[in-house]
Amino acid sequence: MIFVAPEVALLRGFGVPTGPLEEAVDSISRAAPFRQLRTPGGRPMSAQQTNCGDCGWYSDSAGYRYETFDPLTGHPWPPMPEAFRHLAVDAARRAGYAHYDPDTCLLNRYVDGARMGAHRDADERDFTQPIVSVTLGAAATFLWYGEARKGSPVRIRLEPGDVLVWGRSARLGYHGVQPPEGGTRFNLTFRRAR
Ligand code: SIN
Ligand code: FE2
C-alpha cells in the first residue's frame, strides 16, 4: 500500500482476480440496469450508474440522495455480493480502518469518452467511514484534487483490480476520473451512507 496523498491509500491489484467481480457486476446490472442519471440541473451525466446494497445513490431534478428502492424498477437494489463486501472490508482494514461496514456500492460504467468531473462524495450521513473505490475493465487516470476543486490534481493511473481508499481528513476530498483508455471501465464505490 502506498499513500498518493494524505489519507488516500492506493492498493495496487488488491482486487485481482477481477473475473468474479466482473461477473457480479453483470448479474447486478441484469436486475438493476445501468442508466444515465441527470444532475439536479438537468444535465445527463456521462457515466452510467446502478447500485447494490441497502440503498443506492440517485440523482434527478429532486437532487442528490440515497434511495431504498430503484426508481427505474421499483424493486429494492440487488443485495451487495459477498465478494464485494469482503474486498471492501479487507481493503479498508489494510488502509487502517478496522470497522468498515459499507451499506451501499455505486457502480459506474464508462464508455465512449465518459468521464467524471471533479466532485466530492458528500451525500452520506457518516463521514467517519472511508470511501473504497475499485477499478474493473479498462484503465483510466484518476484525479485527486483534495480540499479544493481547482489546482493541479495528483494523477493516478488505475488498472483493473486497483483499489483506492480515502477517509479521515481526505473523506470529503475532491476527485474525478478521465475517460477509459479504450474499452469499457467499471468503478465500484463503497460507502456507509446511512
Ligand atoms: C466516482 O468518484 O464516483 C467514480 C470515480 C472512478 O470512477 O474512479
Ligand atoms: Fe466520487
Side-chain angles (χ1 to χ4, degrees), residues 1-191:
M1 186 193 70
I2 59 161
F3 283 97
V4 295
E7 309 284 14
V8 183
L10 171 59
L11 289 78
R12 285 260 185 236
F14 198 79
V16 171
T18 56
L21 299 170
E22 284 161 359
E23 281 168 29
V25 169
D26 211 56
S27 93
I28 289 165
S29 72
R30 267 181 267 125
F34 281 100
R35 82 292 306 262
Q36 215 163 354
L37 300 178
R38 287 179 179 270
T39 65
R43 284 195 307 149
M45 306 190 42
S46 74
Q48 301 164 347
Q49 291 161 328
T50 188
N51 295 273
C52 65
D54 297 340
C55 57
W57 187 83
Y58 215 75
S59 175
D60 60 18
S61 57
Y64 300 131
R65 63 194 182 275
Y66 281 90
E67 290 279 0
T68 305
F69 296 91
D70 178 352
L72 186 64
T73 65
H75 298 301
W77 300 101
M80 188 183 296
E82 272 313 305
F84 277 25
R85 177 179 302 281
H86 273 133
L87 174 67
V89 168
D90 287 354
R93 186 180 300 119
R94 185 73 72 92
Y97 303 89
H99 306 290
Y100 191 43
D101 188 16
D103 58 358
T104 181
C105 176
L106 169 67
L107 290 77
N108 288 300
R109 180 167 72 182
Y110 301 86
V111 290
D112 290 337
R115 55 186 283 281
M116 184 86 67
H119 69 281
R120 52 188 195 162
D121 298 4
D123 304 314
E124 299 72 36
R125 281 189 204 143
D126 187 349
F127 297 136
T128 67
Q129 298 212 29
I131 300 288
V132 173
S133 176
V134 180
T135 292
L136 300 173
T141 297
F142 184 87
L143 308 170
W144 180 261
Y145 293 83
E147 278 175 31
R149 200 191 300 256
K150 53 186 169 30
S152 57
V154 178
R155 301 166 62 87
I156 306 137
R157 187 170 180 280
L158 296 176
E159 307 230 17
D162 288 350
V163 180
L164 280 171
V165 181
W166 65 88
R168 301 195 180 97
S169 64
R171 174 62 181 76
L172 291 170
Y174 285 93
H175 58 279
V177 70
Q178 295 191 330
E181 296 172 16
T184 301
R185 174 173 177 267
F186 296 91
N187 164 261
L188 313 178
T189 295
F190 295 89
R191 299 156 170 171

